[in-house]
Amino acid sequence: MLELYYSPTCPYCRKVLSFFDANGIEFTPKDVAESNNYNTIIKLGGMAQVPFLVDTDRNKHMYESDAIIDYAKNLK
Ligand SMILES: N[C@@H](CCC(=O)N[C@@H](CS)C(=O)NCC(=O)O)C(=O)O
């Protein structure tokens, strides 16, 4: 399962969200303003930056919108 940590006002996040939407990529959205999501990013990746992708099946996580899109492309 893919989890995308994002902020609704972040243009890099919107780019990834648009790509996921256009390509029918299933994911769980995680708004960093909610719950403990912000702390989770810092704990896993070390930086408070969005977008941040977690692939729970492959135990991978990454920053950078272009890297996230490339990663998702290669899953298809
Ligand atoms: N190069 C990054 C830029 C991401 C970025 O600048 N995100 C902003 C929000 S729009 C952010 O999280 N800033 C907080 C920080 O970098 O500490 C990408 O393409 O994902």
Side-chain angles (χ1 to χ4, degrees), residues 8-75:
T9 57
C10 167
Y12 304 98
C13 301
R14 284 204 290 267
K15 181 173 77 175
V16 175
L17 288 163
S18 295
F19 176 82
F20 281 11
D21 185 45
N23 290 277
I25 293 170
E26 291 186 17
F27 69 103
T28 303
K30 302 261 192 182
D31 187 334
V32 287
E34 293 171 6
S35 187
N36 205 31
N37 292 340
Y38 191 71
N39 290 334
T40 301
I41 295 180
I42 298 171
K43 190 176 156 193
L44 289 176
M47 291 192 296
Q49 182 177 293
V50 286
F52 182 71
L53 183 77
V54 178
D55 183 341
T56 58
D57 295 333
R58 294 166 186 81
N59 199 24
K60 286 193 173 229
H61 53 76
M62 71 198 70
Y63 297 100
E64 295 297 330
S65 53
D66 288 340
I68 292 168
I69 288 170
D70 281 347
Y71 183 79
K73 274 181 190 165
N74 289 321
L75 290 177

Short mmCIF file of all heavy atoms in Angstrom, two decimals, residues 8-75:
data_model
loop_
_atom_site.label_atom_id
_atom_site.label_comp_id
_atom_site.label_asym_id
_atom_site.label_seq_id
_atom_site.Cartn_x
_atom_site.Cartn_y
_atom_site.Cartn_z
N PRO A 8 -2.42 20.15 1.51
CA PRO A 8 -3.30 20.59 0.42
C PRO A 8 -2.81 21.84 -0.30
O PRO A 8 -3.14 22.05 -1.46
CB PRO A 8 -4.63 20.87 1.13
CG PRO A 8 -4.56 20.15 2.43
CD PRO A 8 -3.11 20.07 2.81
N THR A 9 -2.02 22.65 0.36
CA THR A 9 -1.57 23.90 -0.26
C THR A 9 -0.23 23.75 -0.98
O THR A 9 0.26 24.72 -1.58
CB THR A 9 -1.42 25.00 0.81
OG1 THR A 9 -0.52 24.53 1.80
CG2 THR A 9 -2.76 25.33 1.45
N CYS A 10 0.36 22.58 -0.94
CA CYS A 10 1.71 22.38 -1.50
C CYS A 10 1.61 22.03 -2.99
O CYS A 10 1.03 21.01 -3.36
CB CYS A 10 2.39 21.25 -0.74
SG CYS A 10 3.88 20.64 -1.54
N PRO A 11 2.22 22.87 -3.86
CA PRO A 11 2.12 22.60 -5.31
C PRO A 11 2.81 21.29 -5.72
O PRO A 11 2.35 20.63 -6.65
CB PRO A 11 2.80 23.80 -5.95
CG PRO A 11 3.60 24.44 -4.87
CD PRO A 11 2.95 24.10 -3.57
N TYR A 12 3.88 20.93 -5.05
CA TYR A 12 4.57 19.67 -5.37
C TYR A 12 3.68 18.48 -5.01
O TYR A 12 3.67 17.46 -5.71
CB TYR A 12 5.91 19.57 -4.63
CG TYR A 12 6.80 20.75 -4.89
CD1 TYR A 12 6.88 21.81 -3.99
CD2 TYR A 12 7.56 20.82 -6.06
CE1 TYR A 12 7.68 22.91 -4.23
CE2 TYR A 12 8.38 21.91 -6.32
CZ TYR A 12 8.43 22.95 -5.40
OH TYR A 12 9.22 24.03 -5.66
N CYS A 13 2.94 18.64 -3.94
CA CYS A 13 1.99 17.58 -3.54
C CYS A 13 0.87 17.48 -4.55
O CYS A 13 0.46 16.37 -4.93
CB CYS A 13 1.40 17.89 -2.16
SG CYS A 13 2.64 18.02 -0.87
N ARG A 14 0.40 18.63 -5.01
CA ARG A 14 -0.71 18.61 -5.98
C ARG A 14 -0.26 17.95 -7.28
O ARG A 14 -1.04 17.25 -7.94
CB ARG A 14 -1.21 20.03 -6.22
CG ARG A 14 -2.08 20.53 -5.07
CD ARG A 14 -3.03 21.62 -5.54
NE ARG A 14 -2.31 22.83 -5.85
CZ ARG A 14 -2.10 23.84 -5.01
NH1 ARG A 14 -2.58 23.78 -3.78
NH2 ARG A 14 -1.45 24.90 -5.36
N LYS A 15 0.98 18.16 -7.66
CA LYS A 15 1.52 17.51 -8.87
C LYS A 15 1.46 15.99 -8.71
O LYS A 15 1.01 15.27 -9.62
CB LYS A 15 2.98 17.97 -9.08
CG LYS A 15 3.64 17.39 -10.30
CD LYS A 15 5.01 18.01 -10.55
CE LYS A 15 6.07 17.49 -9.63
NZ LYS A 15 7.42 17.98 -9.91
N VAL A 16 1.88 15.49 -7.56
CA VAL A 16 1.85 14.04 -7.32
C VAL A 16 0.40 13.54 -7.23
O VAL A 16 0.06 12.51 -7.83
CB VAL A 16 2.62 13.69 -6.02
CG1 VAL A 16 2.48 12.21 -5.70
CG2 VAL A 16 4.09 14.07 -6.15
N LEU A 17 -0.43 14.29 -6.54
CA LEU A 17 -1.84 13.89 -6.41
C LEU A 17 -2.51 13.82 -7.78
O LEU A 17 -3.28 12.90 -8.06
CB LEU A 17 -2.59 14.86 -5.49
CG LEU A 17 -2.24 14.75 -4.01
CD1 LEU A 17 -2.70 15.99 -3.25
CD2 LEU A 17 -2.84 13.50 -3.39
N SER A 18 -2.20 14.79 -8.65
CA SER A 18 -2.77 14.79 -10.00
C SER A 18 -2.29 13.58 -10.79
O SER A 18 -3.07 12.94 -11.51
CB SER A 18 -2.35 16.05 -10.78
OG SER A 18 -2.89 17.17 -10.18
N PHE A 19 -1.01 13.26 -10.66
CA PHE A 19 -0.46 12.10 -11.37
C PHE A 19 -1.14 10.82 -10.88
O PHE A 19 -1.53 9.96 -11.68
CB PHE A 19 1.05 12.01 -11.18
CG PHE A 19 1.63 10.79 -11.82
CD1 PHE A 19 1.93 10.77 -13.17
CD2 PHE A 19 1.84 9.63 -11.08
CE1 PHE A 19 2.42 9.62 -13.78
CE2 PHE A 19 2.33 8.47 -11.68
CZ PHE A 19 2.62 8.47 -13.03
N PHE A 20 -1.25 10.67 -9.58
CA PHE A 20 -1.90 9.47 -9.02
C PHE A 20 -3.34 9.37 -9.53
O PHE A 20 -3.79 8.30 -9.92
CB PHE A 20 -1.88 9.51 -7.49
CG PHE A 20 -0.56 9.12 -6.87
CD1 PHE A 20 0.59 8.98 -7.63
CD2 PHE A 20 -0.46 8.90 -5.49
CE1 PHE A 20 1.81 8.62 -7.05
CE2 PHE A 20 0.73 8.52 -4.91
CZ PHE A 20 1.88 8.39 -5.68
N ASP A 21 -4.02 10.50 -9.51
CA ASP A 21 -5.42 10.52 -9.94
C ASP A 21 -5.54 10.15 -11.42
O ASP A 21 -6.35 9.30 -11.81
CB ASP A 21 -6.00 11.92 -9.67
CG ASP A 21 -7.47 11.98 -9.97
OD1 ASP A 21 -8.19 11.05 -9.57
OD2 ASP A 21 -7.92 12.94 -10.63
N ALA A 22 -4.70 10.77 -12.26
CA ALA A 22 -4.77 10.55 -13.71
C ALA A 22 -4.41 9.12 -14.09
O ALA A 22 -4.84 8.62 -15.13
CB ALA A 22 -3.84 11.53 -14.43
N ASN A 23 -3.62 8.46 -13.25
CA ASN A 23 -3.14 7.12 -13.57
C ASN A 23 -3.80 6.03 -12.73
O ASN A 23 -3.39 4.86 -12.79
CB ASN A 23 -1.62 7.06 -13.42
CG ASN A 23 -0.94 7.86 -14.52
OD1 ASN A 23 -0.74 7.36 -15.63
ND2 ASN A 23 -0.63 9.12 -14.25
N GLY A 24 -4.79 6.41 -11.97
CA GLY A 24 -5.54 5.42 -11.19
C GLY A 24 -4.71 4.70 -10.15
O GLY A 24 -4.94 3.52 -9.87
N ILE A 25 -3.74 5.40 -9.60
CA ILE A 25 -2.86 4.77 -8.60
C ILE A 25 -3.54 4.85 -7.23
O ILE A 25 -3.91 5.93 -6.76
CB ILE A 25 -1.48 5.46 -8.59
CG1 ILE A 25 -0.79 5.17 -9.92
CG2 ILE A 25 -0.64 5.00 -7.40
CD1 ILE A 25 0.46 5.95 -10.17
N GLU A 26 -3.69 3.70 -6.63
CA GLU A 26 -4.36 3.63 -5.32
C GLU A 26 -3.37 4.00 -4.22
O GLU A 26 -2.23 3.53 -4.22
CB GLU A 26 -4.91 2.23 -5.08
CG GLU A 26 -6.07 1.91 -5.99
CD GLU A 26 -6.70 0.58 -5.66
OE1 GLU A 26 -6.46 0.05 -4.55
OE2 GLU A 26 -7.42 0.07 -6.52
N PHE A 27 -3.83 4.81 -3.30
CA PHE A 27 -2.97 5.22 -2.19
C PHE A 27 -3.84 5.72 -1.04
O PHE A 27 -5.02 6.02 -1.23
CB PHE A 27 -2.00 6.33 -2.63
CG PHE A 27 -2.69 7.64 -2.93
CD1 PHE A 27 -2.64 8.69 -2.02
CD2 PHE A 27 -3.42 7.82 -4.10
CE1 PHE A 27 -3.27 9.89 -2.28
CE2 PHE A 27 -4.07 9.03 -4.37
CZ PHE A 27 -3.98 10.05 -3.46
N THR A 28 -3.22 5.81 0.10
CA THR A 28 -3.90 6.39 1.26
C THR A 28 -3.36 7.80 1.45
O THR A 28 -2.15 7.98 1.68
CB THR A 28 -3.60 5.56 2.53
OG1 THR A 28 -4.00 4.22 2.29
CG2 THR A 28 -4.34 6.12 3.73
N PRO A 29 -4.22 8.82 1.33
CA PRO A 29 -3.76 10.19 1.55
C PRO A 29 -3.59 10.49 3.04
O PRO A 29 -4.42 10.09 3.86
CB PRO A 29 -4.88 11.05 0.96
CG PRO A 29 -6.08 10.18 0.95
CD PRO A 29 -5.64 8.74 0.97
N LYS A 30 -2.51 11.16 3.36
CA LYS A 30 -2.21 11.50 4.77
C LYS A 30 -1.91 12.99 4.85
O LYS A 30 -0.77 13.41 4.59
CB LYS A 30 -1.01 10.70 5.26
CG LYS A 30 -1.17 9.20 5.15
CD LYS A 30 -1.56 8.64 6.48
CE LYS A 30 -1.46 7.14 6.52
NZ LYS A 30 -1.89 6.60 7.80
N ASP A 31 -2.91 13.76 5.16
CA ASP A 31 -2.74 15.21 5.32
C ASP A 31 -1.86 15.46 6.55
O ASP A 31 -2.18 14.99 7.65
CB ASP A 31 -4.12 15.85 5.49
CG ASP A 31 -4.08 17.36 5.49
OD1 ASP A 31 -3.03 17.94 5.85
OD2 ASP A 31 -5.11 17.96 5.16
N VAL A 32 -0.77 16.21 6.36
CA VAL A 32 0.15 16.41 7.49
C VAL A 32 -0.44 17.28 8.59
O VAL A 32 0.11 17.34 9.69
CB VAL A 32 1.51 16.99 7.05
CG1 VAL A 32 2.33 15.95 6.33
CG2 VAL A 32 1.36 18.24 6.23
N ALA A 33 -1.55 17.95 8.29
CA ALA A 33 -2.19 18.76 9.33
C ALA A 33 -3.01 17.88 10.28
O ALA A 33 -3.47 18.36 11.32
CB ALA A 33 -3.09 19.82 8.70
N GLU A 34 -3.18 16.63 9.91
CA GLU A 34 -4.03 15.75 10.72
C GLU A 34 -3.21 14.73 11.51
O GLU A 34 -2.13 14.33 11.09
CB GLU A 34 -5.01 14.99 9.81
CG GLU A 34 -6.04 15.91 9.17
CD GLU A 34 -6.87 15.20 8.11
OE1 GLU A 34 -6.73 13.99 7.95
OE2 GLU A 34 -7.63 15.91 7.43
N SER A 35 -3.81 14.32 12.61
CA SER A 35 -3.27 13.22 13.41
C SER A 35 -1.80 13.44 13.74
O SER A 35 -1.37 14.56 14.00
CB SER A 35 -3.49 11.92 12.63
OG SER A 35 -3.16 10.81 13.40
N ASN A 36 -1.04 12.37 13.68
CA ASN A 36 0.38 12.44 14.01
C ASN A 36 1.24 12.40 12.75
O ASN A 36 2.42 12.07 12.81
CB ASN A 36 0.71 11.23 14.92
CG ASN A 36 1.90 11.50 15.80
OD1 ASN A 36 2.16 12.65 16.19
ND2 ASN A 36 2.66 10.47 16.09
N ASN A 37 0.65 12.74 11.62
CA ASN A 37 1.30 12.51 10.34
C ASN A 37 2.61 13.27 10.16
O ASN A 37 3.56 12.75 9.58
CB ASN A 37 0.34 12.86 9.19
CG ASN A 37 -0.81 11.89 9.13
OD1 ASN A 37 -0.72 10.79 9.65
ND2 ASN A 37 -1.91 12.30 8.49
N TYR A 38 2.63 14.49 10.64
CA TYR A 38 3.83 15.31 10.51
C TYR A 38 5.00 14.64 11.24
O TYR A 38 6.11 14.53 10.72
CB TYR A 38 3.51 16.68 11.09
CG TYR A 38 4.51 17.75 10.83
CD1 TYR A 38 4.68 18.29 9.57
CD2 TYR A 38 5.27 18.26 11.88
CE1 TYR A 38 5.59 19.30 9.35
CE2 TYR A 38 6.18 19.26 11.67
CZ TYR A 38 6.34 19.77 10.41
OH TYR A 38 7.26 20.77 10.20
N ASN A 39 4.74 14.17 12.44
CA ASN A 39 5.80 13.50 13.22
C ASN A 39 6.26 12.22 12.56
O ASN A 39 7.43 11.86 12.64
CB ASN A 39 5.29 13.20 14.64
CG ASN A 39 5.12 14.45 15.45
OD1 ASN A 39 5.78 15.45 15.19
ND2 ASN A 39 4.23 14.43 16.42
N THR A 40 5.34 11.55 11.88
CA THR A 40 5.69 10.29 11.20
C THR A 40 6.71 10.55 10.10
O THR A 40 7.68 9.81 9.94
CB THR A 40 4.44 9.63 10.61
OG1 THR A 40 3.52 9.39 11.67
CG2 THR A 40 4.78 8.32 9.92
N ILE A 41 6.51 11.63 9.33
CA ILE A 41 7.46 11.97 8.27
C ILE A 41 8.85 12.19 8.85
O ILE A 41 9.85 11.66 8.36
CB ILE A 41 7.04 13.26 7.53
CG1 ILE A 41 5.75 13.08 6.80
CG2 ILE A 41 8.14 13.70 6.58
CD1 ILE A 41 5.33 14.35 6.08
N ILE A 42 8.92 12.97 9.89
CA ILE A 42 10.22 13.29 10.49
C ILE A 42 10.87 12.02 11.05
O ILE A 42 12.07 11.79 10.87
CB ILE A 42 10.05 14.36 11.59
CG1 ILE A 42 9.52 15.65 10.96
CG2 ILE A 42 11.36 14.61 12.31
CD1 ILE A 42 9.11 16.70 11.96
N LYS A 43 10.05 11.19 11.66
CA LYS A 43 10.59 9.95 12.23
C LYS A 43 11.16 9.04 11.14
O LYS A 43 12.25 8.49 11.26
CB LYS A 43 9.46 9.23 12.99
CG LYS A 43 9.92 8.08 13.82
CD LYS A 43 8.74 7.51 14.61
CE LYS A 43 9.01 6.07 14.98
NZ LYS A 43 7.83 5.38 15.44
N LEU A 44 10.42 8.92 10.04
CA LEU A 44 10.86 7.99 8.98
C LEU A 44 11.95 8.57 8.10
O LEU A 44 12.90 7.87 7.73
CB LEU A 44 9.67 7.60 8.09
CG LEU A 44 8.62 6.69 8.69
CD1 LEU A 44 7.47 6.50 7.71
CD2 LEU A 44 9.23 5.34 9.04
N GLY A 45 11.81 9.85 7.74
CA GLY A 45 12.70 10.42 6.74
C GLY A 45 13.69 11.45 7.27
O GLY A 45 14.67 11.75 6.60
N GLY A 46 13.40 12.00 8.42
CA GLY A 46 14.33 12.95 9.03
C GLY A 46 14.11 14.40 8.66
O GLY A 46 14.76 15.28 9.20
N MET A 47 13.19 14.67 7.72
CA MET A 47 12.94 16.06 7.31
C MET A 47 11.44 16.32 7.31
O MET A 47 10.65 15.42 6.99
CB MET A 47 13.41 16.32 5.87
CG MET A 47 14.88 16.31 5.66
SD MET A 47 15.27 16.97 4.00
CE MET A 47 14.53 15.76 2.93
N ALA A 48 11.08 17.57 7.59
CA ALA A 48 9.68 17.97 7.57
C ALA A 48 9.32 18.47 6.19
O ALA A 48 9.04 19.66 6.00
CB ALA A 48 9.42 19.04 8.62
N GLN A 49 9.37 17.61 5.20
CA GLN A 49 9.11 18.03 3.81
C GLN A 49 8.05 17.13 3.19
O GLN A 49 8.07 15.92 3.37
CB GLN A 49 10.40 17.96 3.00
CG GLN A 49 10.23 18.42 1.56
CD GLN A 49 11.56 18.41 0.82
OE1 GLN A 49 12.47 19.17 1.11
NE2 GLN A 49 11.67 17.53 -0.16
N VAL A 50 7.14 17.77 2.45
CA VAL A 50 6.13 17.03 1.68
C VAL A 50 6.27 17.41 0.21
O VAL A 50 6.75 18.51 -0.10
CB VAL A 50 4.70 17.37 2.17
CG1 VAL A 50 4.43 16.69 3.49
CG2 VAL A 50 4.42 18.86 2.23
N PRO A 51 5.88 16.56 -0.72
CA PRO A 51 5.28 15.25 -0.50
C PRO A 51 6.28 14.21 0.00
O PRO A 51 7.49 14.32 -0.26
CB PRO A 51 4.76 14.87 -1.88
CG PRO A 51 5.69 15.57 -2.83
CD PRO A 51 6.03 16.87 -2.15
N PHE A 52 5.75 13.20 0.68
CA PHE A 52 6.56 12.10 1.22
C PHE A 52 5.77 10.83 0.98
O PHE A 52 4.60 10.73 1.37
CB PHE A 52 6.79 12.34 2.71
CG PHE A 52 7.65 11.30 3.38
CD1 PHE A 52 9.01 11.22 3.11
CD2 PHE A 52 7.11 10.41 4.29
CE1 PHE A 52 9.81 10.27 3.74
CE2 PHE A 52 7.90 9.46 4.93
CZ PHE A 52 9.26 9.39 4.66
N LEU A 53 6.41 9.89 0.31
CA LEU A 53 5.73 8.64 -0.02
C LEU A 53 6.26 7.49 0.85
O LEU A 53 7.47 7.38 1.03
CB LEU A 53 5.96 8.27 -1.49
CG LEU A 53 5.23 7.01 -1.97
CD1 LEU A 53 3.75 7.31 -2.21
CD2 LEU A 53 5.87 6.44 -3.23
N VAL A 54 5.34 6.68 1.33
CA VAL A 54 5.72 5.44 2.02
C VAL A 54 5.08 4.28 1.27
O VAL A 54 3.87 4.31 1.00
CB VAL A 54 5.24 5.44 3.49
CG1 VAL A 54 5.60 4.12 4.16
CG2 VAL A 54 5.85 6.61 4.25
N ASP A 55 5.91 3.31 0.90
CA ASP A 55 5.40 2.07 0.31
C ASP A 55 5.52 1.00 1.40
O ASP A 55 6.61 0.49 1.66
CB ASP A 55 6.23 1.70 -0.93
CG ASP A 55 5.68 0.45 -1.62
OD1 ASP A 55 4.94 -0.32 -0.99
OD2 ASP A 55 6.03 0.24 -2.81
N THR A 56 4.42 0.71 2.03
CA THR A 56 4.46 -0.19 3.19
C THR A 56 4.76 -1.63 2.76
O THR A 56 5.30 -2.39 3.55
CB THR A 56 3.13 -0.14 3.95
OG1 THR A 56 2.07 -0.50 3.06
CG2 THR A 56 2.85 1.24 4.52
N ASP A 57 4.42 -1.98 1.52
CA ASP A 57 4.67 -3.35 1.06
C ASP A 57 6.16 -3.61 0.85
O ASP A 57 6.65 -4.71 1.09
CB ASP A 57 3.94 -3.63 -0.26
CG ASP A 57 2.44 -3.57 -0.10
OD1 ASP A 57 1.97 -3.82 1.03
OD2 ASP A 57 1.75 -3.27 -1.09
N ARG A 58 6.87 -2.59 0.37
CA ARG A 58 8.29 -2.76 0.04
C ARG A 58 9.21 -2.11 1.04
O ARG A 58 10.42 -2.06 0.84
CB ARG A 58 8.56 -2.21 -1.37
CG ARG A 58 7.84 -3.01 -2.44
CD ARG A 58 7.82 -2.28 -3.77
NE ARG A 58 7.02 -2.99 -4.74
CZ ARG A 58 5.69 -2.92 -4.81
NH1 ARG A 58 5.01 -2.16 -3.96
NH2 ARG A 58 5.02 -3.60 -5.71
N ASN A 59 8.61 -1.58 2.12
CA ASN A 59 9.40 -0.94 3.17
C ASN A 59 10.31 0.15 2.61
O ASN A 59 11.51 0.19 2.90
CB ASN A 59 10.22 -2.01 3.92
CG ASN A 59 10.68 -1.50 5.27
OD1 ASN A 59 10.05 -0.60 5.82
ND2 ASN A 59 11.75 -2.06 5.80
N LYS A 60 9.71 1.03 1.76
CA LYS A 60 10.47 2.13 1.16
C LYS A 60 9.79 3.44 1.48
O LYS A 60 8.56 3.48 1.61
CB LYS A 60 10.53 1.98 -0.36
CG LYS A 60 11.45 0.89 -0.82
CD LYS A 60 11.71 1.01 -2.32
CE LYS A 60 12.77 0.02 -2.72
NZ LYS A 60 13.83 0.55 -3.49
N HIS A 61 10.59 4.49 1.55
CA HIS A 61 10.00 5.82 1.69
C HIS A 61 10.88 6.83 0.99
O HIS A 61 12.09 6.60 0.83
CB HIS A 61 9.77 6.19 3.16
CG HIS A 61 10.97 6.05 4.03
ND1 HIS A 61 12.01 6.94 4.02
CD2 HIS A 61 11.31 5.11 4.92
CE1 HIS A 61 12.92 6.57 4.89
NE2 HIS A 61 12.53 5.45 5.45
N MET A 62 10.25 7.90 0.53
CA MET A 62 11.04 8.89 -0.23
C MET A 62 10.37 10.26 -0.24
O MET A 62 9.14 10.37 -0.15
CB MET A 62 11.25 8.42 -1.67
CG MET A 62 10.02 8.45 -2.52
SD MET A 62 10.19 7.44 -4.00
CE MET A 62 10.17 5.81 -3.30
N TYR A 63 11.23 11.28 -0.36
CA TYR A 63 10.82 12.66 -0.62
C TYR A 63 10.93 12.91 -2.13
O TYR A 63 11.34 12.03 -2.87
CB TYR A 63 11.75 13.64 0.09
CG TYR A 63 11.74 13.56 1.60
CD1 TYR A 63 12.74 12.88 2.29
CD2 TYR A 63 10.73 14.16 2.33
CE1 TYR A 63 12.74 12.82 3.67
CE2 TYR A 63 10.73 14.10 3.72
CZ TYR A 63 11.73 13.44 4.39
OH TYR A 63 11.73 13.37 5.75
N GLU A 64 10.62 14.10 -2.53
CA GLU A 64 10.80 14.61 -3.91
C GLU A 64 9.69 14.14 -4.86
O GLU A 64 9.60 12.95 -5.19
CB GLU A 64 12.17 14.26 -4.50
CG GLU A 64 13.33 14.92 -3.77
CD GLU A 64 13.28 16.45 -3.87
OE1 GLU A 64 12.77 16.99 -4.87
OE2 GLU A 64 13.73 17.10 -2.92
N SER A 65 8.92 15.12 -5.30
CA SER A 65 7.76 14.83 -6.15
C SER A 65 8.15 14.04 -7.41
O SER A 65 7.45 13.08 -7.77
CB SER A 65 7.03 16.12 -6.52
OG SER A 65 7.93 17.06 -7.08
N ASP A 66 9.25 14.43 -8.06
CA ASP A 66 9.63 13.72 -9.30
C ASP A 66 10.04 12.27 -9.01
O ASP A 66 9.70 11.36 -9.78
CB ASP A 66 10.78 14.45 -10.02
CG ASP A 66 10.32 15.75 -10.65
OD1 ASP A 66 9.09 15.92 -10.86
OD2 ASP A 66 11.17 16.63 -10.92
N ALA A 67 10.74 12.07 -7.90
CA ALA A 67 11.15 10.71 -7.53
C ALA A 67 9.91 9.87 -7.19
O ALA A 67 9.85 8.68 -7.53
CB ALA A 67 12.10 10.77 -6.33
N ILE A 68 8.95 10.48 -6.54
CA ILE A 68 7.72 9.75 -6.17
C ILE A 68 6.96 9.34 -7.43
O ILE A 68 6.50 8.21 -7.56
CB ILE A 68 6.85 10.63 -5.24
CG1 ILE A 68 7.54 10.80 -3.89
CG2 ILE A 68 5.45 10.04 -5.08
CD1 ILE A 68 6.91 11.87 -3.00
N ILE A 69 6.87 10.27 -8.39
CA ILE A 69 6.16 9.96 -9.64
C ILE A 69 6.90 8.87 -10.41
O ILE A 69 6.28 7.92 -10.90
CB ILE A 69 5.97 11.25 -10.48
CG1 ILE A 69 4.91 12.12 -9.82
CG2 ILE A 69 5.59 10.91 -11.92
CD1 ILE A 69 4.79 13.52 -10.40
N ASP A 70 8.22 8.96 -10.49
CA ASP A 70 9.00 7.91 -11.17
C ASP A 70 8.80 6.57 -10.49
O ASP A 70 8.66 5.54 -11.16
CB ASP A 70 10.49 8.26 -11.16
CG ASP A 70 10.85 9.28 -12.22
OD1 ASP A 70 10.00 9.54 -13.11
OD2 ASP A 70 11.96 9.83 -12.16
N TYR A 71 8.81 6.58 -9.19
CA TYR A 71 8.64 5.33 -8.44
C TYR A 71 7.27 4.73 -8.74
O TYR A 71 7.16 3.52 -9.02
CB TYR A 71 8.77 5.62 -6.94
CG TYR A 71 8.68 4.39 -6.08
CD1 TYR A 71 9.77 3.54 -5.93
CD2 TYR A 71 7.50 4.07 -5.40
CE1 TYR A 71 9.68 2.40 -5.14
CE2 TYR A 71 7.41 2.94 -4.62
CZ TYR A 71 8.51 2.11 -4.48
OH TYR A 71 8.41 0.97 -3.70
N ALA A 72 6.25 5.56 -8.73
CA ALA A 72 4.89 5.06 -8.98
C ALA A 72 4.75 4.56 -10.42
O ALA A 72 4.06 3.57 -10.66
CB ALA A 72 3.88 6.18 -8.69
N LYS A 73 5.40 5.23 -11.35
CA LYS A 73 5.37 4.77 -12.76
C LYS A 73 5.92 3.37 -12.88
O LYS A 73 5.40 2.54 -13.64
CB LYS A 73 6.25 5.69 -13.63
CG LYS A 73 5.56 6.92 -14.15
CD LYS A 73 6.54 7.71 -15.00
CE LYS A 73 5.96 9.06 -15.35
NZ LYS A 73 6.98 10.00 -15.84
N ASN A 74 6.96 3.07 -12.16
CA ASN A 74 7.62 1.77 -12.25
C ASN A 74 6.87 0.68 -11.50
O ASN A 74 7.21 -0.50 -11.63
CB ASN A 74 9.06 1.87 -11.74
CG ASN A 74 9.92 2.65 -12.72
OD1 ASN A 74 9.76 2.51 -13.92
ND2 ASN A 74 10.80 3.49 -12.22
N LEU A 75 5.87 1.04 -10.75
CA LEU A 75 5.04 0.04 -10.07
C LEU A 75 3.99 -0.53 -11.01
O LEU A 75 3.45 -1.59 -10.77
CB LEU A 75 4.30 0.66 -8.87
CG LEU A 75 5.14 1.04 -7.67
CD1 LEU A 75 4.27 1.71 -6.62
CD2 LEU A 75 5.85 -0.18 -7.09
#
